[in-house]
Amino acid sequence: MSAYLVACRYALLALAKNRLAAVLLIAFIPLWITVAKTLTTPRTFPFRLRATGTWLRAGGDEITMISGSLNAVSLLVGFLMFSAARRTRAFDRRLTASGYPRAALAGAKLTTLLIASALVSTYATAWMLLFWSPLQPFLLGIAVLAICLVYGAMGMCLALFLRGEVEGLVTIIMTSIIDLAPQNPVASTAADRALVALLPGYGSLQTSLAAGFTRNTTLSPLIHSAVWLTAMTTTALAAFALRTRNHRPPRRRRPPS
């Protein structure tokens, strides 16, 4: 237990020292939400909520603000966890080679993911509530938390396979764009097609739209988020275990006397 607590403390300290992430959190998320809300047309758009099959009507500015917020938090948490996992990669190998328990390090990484996702999702949801009054604000916060967890786990996973921060940042940016742009009912005519259900942000966006414009508690889309989170986390932990396992040299046979 003490090894886990020590690992958590150092993991959180390393996360807090990321000044770029702090600047992005403080400035980027409010700016993105403000631009999406104020510069997008407030004209009402009809769209079909694919998770329930019901038709809804909502302002284009509100729909774009939801999509933009999910895009912003996915980029931030994905990059934050990628950067933290990449910087501690070599140190983790040295620790485990010295006998530090891998389970404690893995648990600390998962705890860091949860704390970072909770902080970013709460901050982003609070900013959205300054501009808009969704019908189910708590469910909206859960949806934002879900995409933070998915992209944070994705960042941890990518850190084990990509060498530099530029590669990781570009990969996360392109993934988020490809993920959320086709799902925006205002910008895409394919937002209700079957293929969008395979995208990592599907559960969060569908749940956010349901939270904003209906009074029905729609949790079934979050199953998609749980599947993506499980797949990314399992891959990251499996790769971490393989990268940090101890390779003991074979024992030398004693020469015959």
Side-chain angles (χ1 to χ4, degrees):
M1 187 65 179
S2 60
Y4 163 74
L5 294 176
V6 171
C8 281
R9 184 177 65 184
Y10 280 98
L12 292 173
L13 284 174
L15 206 65
K17 290 180 180 179
N18 193 326
R19 296 180 180 179
L20 176 58
V23 171
L24 291 176
L25 175 64
I26 296 172
F28 179 64
I29 288 180
L31 179 62
W32 192 285
I33 292 174
T34 303
V35 169
K37 175 64 178 176
T38 58
L39 298 184
T40 310
T41 175
R43 185 167 64 90
T44 302
F45 287 85
F47 66 95
R48 188 172 77 94
L49 187 65
R50 193 179 185 281
T52 61
T54 57
W55 282 89
L56 303 174
R57 297 183 66 88
D61 54 344
E62 296 170 346
I63 296 173
T64 304
M65 182 180 64
I66 292 174
S67 179
S69 300
L70 296 181
N71 184 228
V73 298
S74 63
L75 292 176
L76 178 57
V77 180
F79 172 70
L80 182 62
M81 296 308 300
F82 172 85
S83 179
R86 176 184 168 274
R87 292 179 180 180
T88 60
R89 187 168 51 190
F91 187 54
D92 289 339
R93 284 199 292 266
R94 290 196 296 270
L95 283 175
T96 53
S98 302
Y100 204 89
R102 287 186 295 174
L105 292 174
K109 292 181 183 299
L110 295 179
T111 302
T112 304
L113 169 64
L114 180 59
I115 293 175
S117 299
L119 290 175
V120 173
S121 61
T122 301
Y123 185 70
T125 304
W127 268 97
M128 279 195 282
L129 296 179
L130 291 177
F131 292 94
W132 174 51
S133 297
L135 296 179
Q136 300 182 76
F138 180 75
L139 184 60
L140 177 64
I142 295 296
V144 180
L145 174 62
I147 200 169
C148 288
L149 290 171
V150 169
Y151 272 83
M154 187 183 299
M156 292 170 54
C157 187
L158 291 174
L160 296 168
F161 302 101
L162 300 178
R163 291 183 177 273
E165 288 196 353
V166 175
E167 294 94 322
L169 181 59
V170 171
T171 302
I172 293 170
I173 289 174
M174 294 307 299
T175 302
S176 180
I177 293 174
I178 295 172
D179 177 14
L180 292 168
Q183 298 188 62
N184 187 343
V186 176
S188 174
T189 58
D192 62 345
R193 295 189 180 179
L195 288 177
V196 300
L198 302 177
L199 298 173
Y202 171 80
S204 290
L205 185 57
Q206 291 288 306
T207 305
S208 296
L209 293 173
F213 309 114
T214 72
R215 296 192 180 277
N216 299 323
T217 304
T218 305
L219 296 176
S220 58
L222 293 179
I223 297 175
H224 294 76
S225 300
V227 171
W228 272 97
L229 176 60
T230 302
M232 291 290 102
T233 304
T234 302
T235 303
L237 292 179
F240 173 78
L242 289 174
R243 295 287 180 90
T244 57
R245 64 181 177 179
N246 295 328
H247 297 279
R248 295 181 179 178
R251 293 182 179 179
R252 295 182 179 180
R253 294 183 179 181
R254 293 182 179 180
S257 55

